[in-house]
Amino acid sequence: MQFHHHGYVSTDPRVQPAAGTGIDRPAELPDEMDVLIVGSGPAGMLLAAQLAQYPSVTTRLVERRPERLAIGQADGIQARSVETFQAFGFAERITAEAYRISEMNFWAPDAADRSRIVRTARADDDPHGISEFPHLIVNQARVLDYFAEVAATAPARISPDYGWEFVSLEVGEGEYPVTVTLVRTDGPDAGQERMVRARYVVGCDGARSRVRQAIGRTHIGDQSRHAWGVMDVLAVTDFPDIRIKCAIQSEHGSILLIPREGGHLFRMYVDLGEVPEDDNGKVRTTPLEAIIAKANDILGQYTLDVKDVAWWSVYEVGHRVTDKFDDIDPGADGTPHVFICGDACHTHSAKAGQGMNVSMQDGFNLGWKLGSVLTGRAPEALLSTYSAERREIAQNLIDFDKEWSSLMAKKPEEFDSPEELAEFYTATAEFPAGFMTQYRPSMIVGEATHQALATGFPVGKRFTSAPVVRIGDAVPAHLGHHARADGRWRIYAFADRDASALREWADWLATASASPVVRFTPAEADLDAVFDVKVVYQQDHSEVEMADIPAVFLPRVGPFGLIDYEKIYAARGDDDIFERRGIDRDGAVVVVRPDQYVAHVLPLSDRQELADFFAQHMVEPAAVPA
Amino acid sequence: MQFHHHGYVSTDPRVQPAAGTGIDRPAELPDEMDVLIVGSGPAGMLLAAQLAQYPSVTTRLVERRPERLAIGQADGIQARSVETFQAFGFAERITAEAYRISEMNFWAPDAADRSRIVRTARADDDPHGISEFPHLIVNQARVLDYFAEVAATAPARISPDYGWEFVSLEVGEGEYPVTVTLVRTDGPDAGQERMVRARYVVGCDGARSRVRQAIGRTHIGDQSRHAWGVMDVLAVTDFPDIRIKCAIQSEHGSILLIPREGGHLFRMYVDLGEVPEDDNGKVRTTPLEAIIAKANDILGQYTLDVKDVAWWSVYEVGHRVTDKFDDIDPGADGTPHVFICGDACHTHSAKAGQGMNVSMQDGFNLGWKLGSVLTGRAPEALLSTYSAERREIAQNLIDFDKEWSSLMAKKPEEFDSPEELAEFYTATAEFPAGFMTQYRPSMIVGEATHQALATGFPVGKRFTSAPVVRIGDAVPAHLGHHARADGRWRIYAFADRDASALREWADWLATASASPVVRFTPAEADLDAVFDVKVVYQQDHSEVEMADIPAVFLPRVGPFGLIDYEKIYAARGDDDIFERRGIDRDGAVVVVRPDQYVAHVLPLSDRQELADFFAQHMVEPAAVPA
């Protein structure tokens, strides 16, 4: 964590100084704003936390509820989300209070006595060591609390405007083209309508999104005929794996057991079976007692004595995805002004633990793009990449979830072997961990022409961190963990053997008129304000002389022009990042987007391609008037 | 982290429910209290955080300052202190914002040109892998903030009473034997005196402690004739190791360089040389500019351009230790009612980074003892062990610091070799890391008769955690990290090969009338309210059947009688705790005090010795009236 560079900070360094719109931010919703977020779920709150890093942007978030969410339904936190939390600064805190999934166990009928169940397999939850971050379970309400804290303590000081419901919107012309009608849901003015105007509106308003309706997008898909009861309970049981995630198959149906944070609570998804065509929602009136009784049947020789129920529900699995995630019709010209994120775009079963995670990545994808356009760093065309990138991910999610939830609903005798479910779980682990996403080439993702220079950083996939040593203080570090969700692009230069090509590249980056750092960094800003440029040497940290390191990696920052020593790294002797990530010993340049996706891999020698890549989606800063 | 066992918790689980004196705790200082702490430094604030775990105890903390400390002078945090923070729940947060010492470098005059300096050695800061916790540098003010948060969110909801200065005290008779005179330092009533009465008073009021004076204790020692300038600065320099802890020896004197949190700030202790006998404090008027100039001289060919000074001072090293740390005169009868902690007991140079750490351990040693006596779990005689245990540690500290600070003040030519300083640093690493403390046998430390059963847990030293797997959820865990600073004793049972001796021991512990758990746990309390009993099996976690685990390790807790699954562990296949800590394969019992010191090592078969040990310092609970 870096601070003090503007002088001594005595209090919590996580609280950044208020700036711009964050100074004296009005408590009341203004008439005009840059961004209006509708809905304070995971996508909306992440977006608020991200936009709070842009103090020149006025962002407001309206929420129908009068206050903080007390208990949410989502709880699965994939490793990719913990990685995202790390970038927002709260991974270690939420991990400390969460349940961690270490393995998943599988139970099936005992062949000798099918009224009993036996453990048939134990599967490591991360068999491929895919991430240094854990797979967690923690209530959505806590995730929102942490994002709320980040938004409230970042420079723009954003906090939600509770008690406002979205009614409708119109997209017109002018500086604030979107006119939005809201209605007060709370307090003495409840029921009163209000019109506000925004440059951009983001609907994070859930599966029944009114923003989606307002822009004429359609949510396409179907509802299965299979019902599930779900309950979060405190209970006493002799089932031995009650604190382990389990898929339990039995003669009476199946249970997906998800232990929860705190050591006592757990969630059960209890199979209520096929629903007749003429059911007309009757299954949804199934009482809690019936779900508990069914769970006891499925558990065979074990008993479940429920003592307290925190939340429960009955639902039929549906799978739907929206045709496009913005207000520009497919094939039409123009750049969007209205977007939808999260459940407004994709709904599916809860059992793969994906919903909240994919929703947050929607917000992470959109946030920096809005911030870049609104601060004049990028053209509006950048905003069209949001729907293009995320629509495909949503479809993949629906496809995966359909397969997983049909497997979960299968009868024991329908499986080829008792291990089939465990094998599917292990074989597909990268998807539910959140690391299968790979964006296609676009203005912000290069072609993988030079992929061979860094095989462990596939272009279009998220940057996978690896251990290194920070040269300045000789501290072991994780290269990716220094990257914060601050809207900056990152350029990692991996040095060649004797660092001669590195030096030429660094000199070009620091001085050439075509260099993106020279072209796109405002003259009055710190050298690393737009591009966070780091270097990794092949040698042991003790063999790299500070005096030999090019100045672009040791930028001067803040009013005192202090040297930033935290951008220079060395490979570890016992775990060499060059080996681990397949980096060419002649060096390589890896470009990473603000949302942590690898945008390009290039040789140190190919400066023109680096210049061209940024020129296609960046705008030179306007000269500051004298 | 465990919660939810009284029902669903939606908000931050670190905020414990208020209880007892924490419910409607008066904002105004009452006339009578159980414990009055004087001073809100590291010892006092730890003590408040610890006593906040005892909601039946009324604890108040008076502080002369009108508000929170903005900038403190201490900054060194040894690994033992981070371990302590872990028990209080904030290790991961403070680590994230602190500077971490990974190595220490040594510089000396260049033999070829003695006006220049060269790096002569690099020393790993933890060459023996002594702790899983890091060695940190972070300002004292932040340490106090974290303890304040713990105290304010624990059941007794303690926050400091700012603006009260200690004047004097008298120890008399009765329920509240200590009468204390305070004076208001702030607000409209400034200057007004007030009398309050307390059962116990703890003076954490620094080197010039008035509490120490009031009980007639004397601070014995001397002042050296060597002066140092110290400054916390933001600066630009070409000295390459500016972000690494360094001892720099030169022709012009020496510097101890301590990089600080945040990436930019650093502290320099600059040698101002011997002070003439007739100086009469003149050295203390040395201006800042002279210290900076001296630092530039010492740095030889490098330059230091200071941009901002957060704090600076000039001092002469003194070494003093108080004769006894309570109000009972040496050799006299009776149990103490007044104690002193921290700088009130021991003062020394700052350069070994020890002061704040030893002070906190004073508070940790005393806190649970006061809590145990005030809740009726222990006899008053327990309180006499505080001075007995901590006085010896303070003397060791003074001795170590004298050696370290004279070495730091030596001229380069006085060393036998350029590596002498580095070698001393490495050879003595256990002491400054805080792990040399070993308490002698007493009513709370057993004789090491059975030490051979667990050679890695020396009796009297702090319990060294080791990796294990938690059986309930198959999660890799650190055995010691589950222990919180909650005032409970911990009993770790290491199972024998087939767990047969373990079962007999566990049955005895659960049912025998001589069992400490049976004797000293109140009937109406949870089974683990006084003793936190855990088990570690030799087998892989997958080979331990839940049904075979004795019930004493799976206690029922809270109003719903839920099962606590977090006390049962297994050795790791790749890092076996039985190997790592030298535990006998026939099993062993390791008893650990509430302040994390190993109190006893016993065989599973010797139950009488276990019963006798607790009987000498515990009191059976009074029967609850019907």
Side-chain angles (χ1 to χ4, degrees):
Chain A
M1 204 179 299
Q2 289 183 288
F3 46 96
H4 285 331
H5 53 294
H6 286 241
Y8 193 80
V9 176
S10 159
T11 49
D12 190 345
R14 293 165 187 86
V15 179
Q16 299 177 268
T21 62
I23 299 169
D24 301 325
R25 185 177 193 267
E28 276 303 302
L29 200 61
D31 290 332
E32 291 169 348
M33 60 205 76
D34 294 314
V35 181
L36 177 67
I37 303 167
V38 181
S40 71
M45 288 302 283
L46 183 145
L47 203 48
Q50 177 69 87
L51 288 169
Q53 291 295 333
Y54 297 87
S56 65
V57 175
T58 301
T59 303
R60 306 296 297 211
L61 184 158
V62 290
E63 166 56 53
R64 187 168 52 181
R65 261 182 288 106
E67 60 196 4
R68 166 187 179 275
L69 179 71
I71 178 165
Q73 298 167 23
D75 57 9
I77 306 286
Q78 50 183 222
R80 168 62 188 154
S81 291
V82 185
E83 185 174 74
T84 303
F85 298 160
Q86 201 279 329
F88 281 93
F90 62 84
E92 72 269 21
R93 281 189 292 158
I94 201 164
T95 299
E97 70 182 86
Y99 173 81
R100 177 173 164 200
I101 301 180
S102 177
E103 61 181 44
M104 180 166 178
N105 291 355
F106 295 82
W107 289 70
D110 184 349
D113 173 0
R114 295 185 64 84
S115 73
R116 298 170 64 89
I117 55 173
V118 289
R119 194 191 294 114
T120 55
R122 291 177 185 265
D124 190 335
D125 188 67
D126 183 8
H128 315 296
I130 206 171
S131 174
E132 72 275 17
F133 291 105
H135 182 180
L136 305 178
I137 302 288
V138 68
N139 190 265
Q140 169 185 349
R142 293 295 295 147
V143 174
L144 302 185
D145 285 346
Y146 281 108
F147 277 119
E149 184 185 306
V150 174
T153 57
R157 293 284 188 275
I158 299 173
S159 52
D161 296 289
Y162 288 113
W164 288 104
E165 185 169 5
F166 175 90
V167 179
S168 63
L169 66 75
E170 292 282 338
V171 183
E173 302 287 325
E175 203 179 352
Y176 296 96
V178 193
T179 304
V180 181
T181 305
L182 303 170
V183 63
R184 202 86 178 92
T185 61
D186 190 45
D189 304 332
Q192 282 194 13
E193 289 202 345
R194 164 111 191 257
M195 301 252 278
V196 297
R197 294 187 305 150
R199 291 182 206 269
Y200 300 103
V201 171
V202 189
C204 305
D205 51 343
R208 296 191 185 83
S209 170
R210 288 209 198 169
V211 175
R212 182 181 67 216
Q213 286 169 18
I215 56 173
R217 295 276 85 85
T218 46
H219 209 41
I220 306 157
D222 50 34
Q223 186 124 318
S224 81
R225 305 238 60 91
H226 205 105
W228 294 82
V230 54
M231 54 183 183
D232 286 341
V233 299
L234 296 167
V236 175
T237 179
D238 54 355
F239 178 68
D241 287 358
I242 198 68
R243 297 303 305 161
I244 294 191
K245 182 181 175 190
C246 287
I248 306 164
Q249 307 280 335
S250 87
E251 295 285 286
H252 298 276
S254 66
I255 286 175
L256 179 67
L257 164 65
I258 311 282
R260 287 279 298 268
E261 65 276 16
H264 298 289
L265 193 75
F266 56 86
R267 171 169 291 189
M268 279 184 166
Y269 292 97
V270 181
D271 185 355
L272 298 181
E274 294 295 315
V275 181
E277 281 218 25
D278 58 354
D279 183 71
N280 291 322
K282 211 177 109 227
V283 72
R284 280 175 238 148
T285 64
T286 308
L288 174 65
E289 294 67 28
I291 299 169
I292 296 172
K294 181 83 171 175
N296 269 288
D297 289 345
I298 295 168
L299 287 172
Q301 72 272 31
Y302 301 110
T303 59
L304 178 72
D305 180 10
V306 173
K307 300 290 189 181
D308 193 44
V309 180
W311 172 79
W312 69 283
S313 181
V314 174
Y315 69 96
E316 292 153 278
V317 179
H319 290 99
R320 290 193 180 83
V321 63
T322 300
D323 54 342
K324 194 159 181 292
F325 296 177
D326 64 33
D327 61 324
I328 303 298
D329 291 336
D333 286 340
T335 57
H337 285 272
V338 184
F339 308 86
I340 52 174
C341 291
D343 287 356
C345 306
H346 37 78
T347 54
H348 47 86
S349 96
K351 283 191 300 299
Q354 294 299 297
M356 171 159 53
N357 301 281
V358 177
S359 297
M360 289 191 287
Q361 294 304 316
D362 289 346
F364 204 14
N365 184 291
L366 180 59
W368 68 272
K369 294 174 182 175
L370 283 171
S372 299
V373 170
L374 284 163
T375 52
R377 287 189 210 164
E380 287 199 311
L382 176 64
L383 299 174
S384 297
T385 64
Y386 167 70
S387 179
E389 291 190 332
R390 296 305 296 173
R391 174 68 179 69
E392 182 177 349
I393 304 308
Q395 189 60 56
N396 295 345
L397 165 65
I398 302 299
D399 296 344
F400 174 81
D401 185 71
K402 273 188 179 168
E403 198 169 349
W404 177 242
S405 59
S406 351
L407 271 175
M408 280 300 302
K410 263 169 103 166
K411 295 201 173 62
E413 58 273 22
E414 293 166 3
F415 284 97
D416 294 335
S417 80
E419 291 79 31
E420 188 184 338
L421 198 58
E423 281 161 11
F424 178 85
Y425 185 78
T426 303
T428 61
E430 192 183 0
F431 190 93
F435 297 123
M436 283 280 269
T437 297
Q438 185 160 21
Y439 296 129
R440 292 172 192 276
S442 71
M443 67 162 71
I444 47 174
V445 178
E447 296 285 345
T449 322
H450 304 285
Q451 187 68 69
L453 297 177
T455 54
F457 294 121
V459 175
K461 298 188 86 167
R462 79 89 178 67
F463 181 81
T464 311
S465 183
V468 288
V469 175
R470 198 156 60 190
I471 291 176
D473 52 12
V475 167
H478 237 287
L479 185 57
H481 297 197
H482 195 267
R484 313 308 287 193
D486 55 13
R488 288 189 294 172
W489 283 80
R490 293 193 160 79
I491 304 178
Y492 296 90
F494 290 87
D496 50 322
R497 289 178 191 80
D498 67 356
S500 58
L502 175 84
R503 173 160 288 284
E504 281 182 42
W505 180 88
D507 289 348
W508 174 83
L509 195 69
T511 59
S513 60
S515 153
V517 171
V518 173
R519 280 187 71 187
F520 303 117
T521 306
E524 72 282 9
D526 282 343
L527 186 63
D528 66 346
V530 177
F531 297 95
D532 183 16
V533 185
K534 299 177 202 291
V535 63
V536 185
Y537 288 88
Q538 300 183 23
Q539 290 77 11
D540 186 80
H541 78 278
S542 63
E543 292 165 27
V544 180
E545 286 299 326
M546 196 63 80
D548 295 337
I549 297 172
V552 75
F553 304 120
L554 289 162
R556 308 288 289 261
V557 296
F560 304 119
L562 303 176
I563 299 169
D564 183 342
Y565 289 96
E566 301 199 0
K567 297 177 191 289
I568 49 176
Y569 298 89
R572 285 174 67 127
D574 58 348
D575 186 357
D576 182 347
I577 187 171
F578 281 73
E579 291 294 322
R580 199 194 251 245
R581 296 282 171 258
I583 299 161
D584 197 292
R585 295 286 171 184
D586 288 333
V589 175
V590 178
V591 178
V592 180
R593 300 170 16 163
D595 56 0
Q596 306 182 316
Y597 282 81
V598 176
H600 225 330
V601 170
L602 290 166
L604 285 165
S605 57
D606 195 344
R607 292 152 212 159
Q608 190 58 47
E609 204 170 337
L610 185 68
D612 293 346
F613 172 72
F614 282 109
Q616 66 190 353
H617 61 79
M618 280 205 164
V619 173
E620 287 186 20
V624 176
Chain B
M1 205 179 297
Q2 290 185 287
F3 46 95
H4 285 331
H5 54 293
H6 287 240
Y8 193 79
V9 176
S10 161
T11 48
D12 190 345
R14 293 167 187 84
V15 180
Q16 297 177 269
T21 62
I23 299 170
D24 301 326
R25 184 177 192 267
E28 277 302 304
L29 200 62
D31 291 332
E32 290 168 350
M33 60 206 76
D34 294 314
V35 181
L36 177 67
I37 303 167
V38 180
S40 71
M45 288 301 282
L46 183 145
L47 203 48
Q50 177 69 88
L51 287 168
Q53 290 295 334
Y54 297 88
S56 65
V57 176
T58 300
T59 302
R60 306 295 298 210
L61 185 159
V62 291
E63 166 57 53
R64 188 168 52 180
R65 261 182 290 107
E67 60 197 4
R68 166 188 179 273
L69 179 71
I71 179 164
Q73 299 167 22
D75 57 8
I77 306 285
Q78 52 182 219
R80 168 61 189 155
S81 292
V82 185
E83 185 174 74
T84 302
F85 299 160
Q86 201 278 330
F88 281 93
F90 61 85
E92 73 270 20
R93 282 189 291 157
I94 202 164
T95 299
E97 70 183 83
Y99 173 82
R100 178 173 164 200
I101 301 180
S102 178
E103 60 181 44
M104 179 165 179
N105 291 355
F106 295 82
W107 289 71
D110 185 349
D113 173 0
R114 294 185 66 85
S115 73
R116 298 170 63 90
I117 54 172
V118 289
R119 195 191 293 113
T120 54
R122 292 177 185 266
D124 190 335
D125 189 65
D126 183 8
H128 315 297
I130 206 172
S131 174
E132 72 276 15
F133 291 105
H135 182 180
L136 304 178
I137 302 289
V138 67
N139 190 264
Q140 168 185 351
R142 293 294 295 147
V143 175
L144 302 184
D145 286 346
Y146 280 108
F147 277 120
E149 184 186 305
V150 173
T153 56
R157 293 283 188 276
I158 299 172
S159 52
D161 295 291
Y162 288 113
W164 287 105
E165 184 169 5
F166 175 90
V167 178
S168 63
L169 65 75
E170 292 282 340
V171 183
E173 301 288 323
E175 203 179 352
Y176 297 95
V178 193
T179 304
V180 181
T181 304
L182 302 172
V183 63
R184 202 87 178 92
T185 62
D186 189 48
D189 304 333
Q192 283 195 11
E193 289 202 346
R194 164 110 191 259
M195 302 253 277
V196 298
R197 294 188 304 151
R199 291 182 205 269
Y200 300 104
V201 171
V202 189
C204 306
D205 51 343
R208 295 191 185 83
S209 171
R210 289 210 199 166
V211 175
R212 182 182 65 216
Q213 288 169 15
I215 56 173
R217 295 277 85 85
T218 45
H219 209 40
I220 307 156
D222 50 36
Q223 188 125 315
S224 81
R225 306 237 59 92
H226 205 104
W228 295 81
V230 54
M231 55 184 182
D232 286 342
V233 299
L234 296 168
V236 175
T237 179
D238 54 355
F239 178 68
D241 287 357
I242 198 67
R243 299 303 306 160
I244 294 192
K245 182 181 175 189
C246 287
I248 306 165
Q249 308 280 335
S250 86
E251 295 285 287
H252 298 275
S254 66
I255 286 175
L256 179 67
L257 164 66
I258 311 282
R260 287 279 298 268
E261 65 276 16
H264 298 289
L265 193 75
F266 55 87
R267 171 170 293 189
M268 278 184 168
Y269 291 96
V270 180
D271 185 355
L272 299 181
E274 294 296 314
V275 180
E277 280 215 27
D278 59 353
D279 183 70
N280 291 323
K282 212 177 109 227
V283 71
R284 281 175 237 148
T285 64
T286 308
L288 174 64
E289 293 68 28
I291 300 169
I292 295 173
K294 182 85 173 174
N296 269 289
D297 289 344
I298 295 169
L299 287 171
Q301 71 272 35
Y302 301 109
T303 59
L304 178 72
D305 180 10
V306 173
K307 301 289 190 180
D308 193 45
V309 180
W311 171 79
W312 71 282
S313 182
V314 174
Y315 68 97
E316 291 153 280
V317 179
H319 289 100
R320 289 194 180 82
V321 63
T322 300
D323 53 343
K324 193 159 180 291
F325 297 176
D326 63 34
D327 61 324
I328 302 298
D329 291 335
D333 285 340
T335 58
H337 286 272
V338 184
F339 308 86
I340 52 174
C341 291
D343 287 355
C345 306
H346 37 76
T347 54
H348 47 87
S349 96
K351 285 190 299 299
Q354 293 299 296
M356 172 159 54
N357 301 282
V358 177
S359 296
M360 289 192 287
Q361 295 304 316
D362 289 344
F364 204 14
N365 184 292
L366 180 59
W368 69 271
K369 294 175 181 175
L370 282 171
S372 299
V373 170
L374 284 163
T375 52
R377 288 189 207 163
E380 287 200 311
L382 176 63
L383 298 174
S384 298
T385 64
Y386 166 70
S387 180
E389 290 190 332
R390 297 304 297 175
R391 173 69 179 68
E392 181 176 350
I393 303 309
Q395 189 60 55
N396 295 346
L397 165 65
I398 301 301
D399 297 344
F400 174 82
D401 186 70
K402 273 189 180 168
E403 198 168 351
W404 177 240
S405 59
S406 355
L407 271 175
M408 279 300 301
K410 262 170 106 166
K411 295 203 171 66
E413 60 272 21
E414 293 167 2
F415 284 98
D416 294 336
S417 80
E419 290 79 33
E420 187 183 340
L421 196 57
E423 280 160 13
F424 178 84
Y425 185 77
T426 303
T428 60
E430 191 182 1
F431 189 92
F435 298 122
M436 282 280 269
T437 297
Q438 184 159 21
Y439 295 130
R440 292 173 193 275
S442 70
M443 67 161 70
I444 47 173
V445 177
E447 295 285 346
T449 323
H450 304 285
Q451 188 67 69
L453 298 177
T455 55
F457 293 120
V459 174
K461 296 188 87 167
R462 78 90 176 67
F463 181 81
T464 311
S465 182
V468 288
V469 175
R470 198 156 58 191
I471 291 176
D473 52 11
V475 167
H478 237 287
L479 184 58
H481 297 197
H482 195 266
R484 314 307 288 193
D486 55 12
R488 289 189 293 172
W489 283 80
R490 293 193 160 80
I491 305 177
Y492 296 90
F494 290 87
D496 50 323
R497 290 178 190 79
D498 67 357
S500 58
L502 175 82
R503 172 159 291 283
E504 280 182 45
W505 180 87
D507 288 348
W508 173 84
L509 195 69
T511 59
S513 60
S515 153
V517 172
V518 172
R519 281 187 71 187
F520 302 116
T521 306
E524 72 282 9
D526 283 344
L527 185 62
D528 66 346
V530 177
F531 298 94
D532 183 16
V533 186
K534 300 177 199 293
V535 62
V536 185
Y537 288 89
Q538 300 183 23
Q539 291 76 12
D540 187 80
H541 78 277
S542 63
E543 290 165 27
V544 180
E545 286 300 324
M546 196 63 80
D548 295 337
I549 297 172
V552 75
F553 304 121
L554 290 161
R556 308 288 288 261
V557 296
F560 304 120
L562 303 175
I563 299 168
D564 183 341
Y565 289 97
E566 303 199 358
K567 296 177 192 287
I568 50 176
Y569 298 89
R572 286 175 66 129
D574 58 348
D575 186 357
D576 183 346
I577 187 171
F578 282 73
E579 291 294 324
R580 199 194 252 245
R581 295 283 170 259
I583 298 160
D584 197 293
R585 295 286 170 184
D586 288 333
V589 174
V590 178
V591 178
V592 180
R593 300 171 15 164
D595 57 0
Q596 306 183 316
Y597 283 79
V598 176
H600 226 329
V601 170
L602 291 166
L604 285 165
S605 56
D606 195 343
R607 291 152 213 160
Q608 191 57 47
E609 205 171 337
L610 185 67
D612 292 346
F613 173 72
F614 284 108
Q616 66 192 354
H617 61 79
M618 281 204 164
V619 174
E620 287 187 22
V624 176

